[in-house]
Amino acid sequence: MTEEEKKTLLTEEEVLRNMDFYTFARAMNGGDNYYGSYLTPDLISSRMKDINLNPQTIVEDALKKALSNPKSSESTLQAFSQNLEITSMVYKRLISYLTNMLSFDITYVSNAKPEDYKTPKYRKDLDVIDNFLNSFDYKSEFRIVTREMLRNDAYFGCFRKIGDKYILQELPPDYCKITGRWENGFLFSFNMYWFMLPGVNIDMYPEFFKKKFSEIVKKGGAGLTYNPSLSPEDRGRSSWVYWVDVPVNVGTCFKLSPEISARLPYFAPIFSDLIMQPLMRNLQKDMNMAAANKLLIGEVPMLHKETQAAVKDSIAISPEVLGKYLALVRSAINDAIKVVTAPLENFKQIDFDTKPDMYDNYLRTTLATSGINTNLIFTSNVKPNSIETQLSLNVDEQMMKALYGQFEAFMNYQASKLTKNFTFYFSFEGTDFFLDRKQRFDTAMSLFDKGIVLPQKIAASIGMKPSELRKHMEEASAFGFIDTLTPPSVAAQKEMATISAKLQKSNAEKATPAPAPEEQKSKSRGRPRKDESEIGDEGLATRDEGENIGRGGKI
């Protein structure tokens, strides 16, 4: 190398001072529109799976250690929960049963006064609320949140508007930490290192993360300080190394157990029982295999009863002949019957009787420890008790309805950012069980007699949004739906009633012989028919078997 060439070389210090590594890395990995690493469909798919599925094989010793120190084992217990959901159908059904229970039927009120309801201001804000409810599929999104809460205890996500729709985008829980509280729940911080992993595209996340990533990486964190006591809306200005406090207008945290900040799966106490499922399955298999086999045992007589066992060849038949007899017996019976020895006297058959289904009993006992009635999860030959089943269902509903408060607070906060003149407050109610819907509908309709009209409650009881009910009624009124109906005349109604009565009487006379006078009197007796939810097991059995028909009852 010549002296002239040496003069043109840069020193290491000059390279570090003059070269923009961030610009270089960004250009190498995809240009100005990307802040992370190289992208391929396989990498993106892999990272999407990593967000909410990181199961870990359960080892009993590791489970005991995690349960004994839960505060330091959050990720481990969450990984065990995900593993059980894959390997145990009982646990999967348990999570699914509770997740799909809530109906998320919505109603709302506002701070408007009676004279405000007909003003343009209220109508404008009401249109904003209706558009918000139509643009955000809260039932679908909140069911996903509920499943994650039951699986991992907490859900971290970002509320985003993409096009004309609002969605909740889930963040990887392993890169989130709960670091505060506010009036609507928990606050959390996010580890920006997530965006340095291969296959993570920062453009697929809210603009807030791109801005903070640029400040941390490109600017080297200059001017950034860690101040966790900032207001919930200003938390984005607080960061520590790669951890950034997420403001409430960007991210939200839902938690199943809001009284503690540790993230522990709700059903962690039954993990110790569920890990025995493969063992119990194998034991049941061995029992069934043993029950399918039989043994034939016979005594081989001795030459002389007083002969001692030490005397050679003291049995009454030679081993060669005994082997031929055994082969002959085996050729005449099924493979499931094993011959221990043959012949010639005291033949006995040994059966391996099956005990009650051990595996089924194990599953029911394990599930029962969760507090859930097994008849609500899967069926078997165990007769359900309708009263106990209904009470157990009510307890489950009570537990899950307690989550509505968090979702209501979330909806109130998001709606308050959209309206300008009035504040709207949302309420969720109900479950998807038909008895719950029927009771809510009957309650709303029964208030009509007292002059109390609650159209939102009627809409909620039949699974509709308030705006949907209004639209249906407005369309029916606009098209004159009632006018299109052709009610029969009074004379025609009387004639039809007479004909119907005659037909019913004629059919009854053909089907049954004429009752005695005493039976005719008894037909008008008896209690009114009760709803199925109001009768017990004996009443249901009597109705199913038709035992009251012979005494003048109805089906």
Side-chain angles (χ1 to χ4, degrees), residues 18 20 30-31 33 90 98 102 107 144-145 195 206 220 223 233 251 262 267 372 396 445 472 503 549:
N18 296 322
D20 190 340
N33 294 325
V90 172
L98 294 175
L102 298 178
T107 61
I144 295 175
V145 173
F195 298 112
E233 289 80 8
F267 292 108
I372 307 298
D396 299 339
M445 298 302 293
H472 281 287
L503 288 174
I549 297 178

Side-chain angles (χ1 to χ4, degrees), residues 248-314:
V248 293
N249 60 345
V250 175
T252 185
C253 172
F254 297 96
K255 199 166 185 303
L256 187 65
S257 303
E259 70 279 6
I260 58 175
S261 60
R263 293 180 285 157
L264 307 176
Y266 181 79
F267 292 108
I270 67 171
F271 288 179
S272 299
D273 295 325
L274 288 174
I275 62 173
M276 296 178 60
Q277 189 170 346
L279 173 63
M280 300 302 293
R281 187 188 299 114
N282 289 332
L283 290 176
Q284 184 66 54
K285 177 183 176 181
D286 293 341
M287 289 179 61
N288 293 339
M289 292 299 295
N293 289 277
K294 297 181 183 297
L295 289 180
L296 281 178
I297 298 179
E299 273 187 26
V300 178
M302 306 294 292
L303 285 174
H304 303 287
K305 293 184 179 181
E306 63 276 7
T307 305
Q308 297 181 1
V311 179
K312 183 180 180 181
D313 296 333
S314 60

Side-chain angles (χ1 to χ4, degrees), residues 332-352:
I333 61 177
N334 190 280
D335 291 338
I337 302 176
K338 308 299 180 182
V339 180
V340 175
T341 186
L344 293 170
E345 59 186 38
N346 293 334
F347 269 105
K348 296 179 181 179
Q349 175 180 299
I350 297 179
D351 296 330
F352 297 92

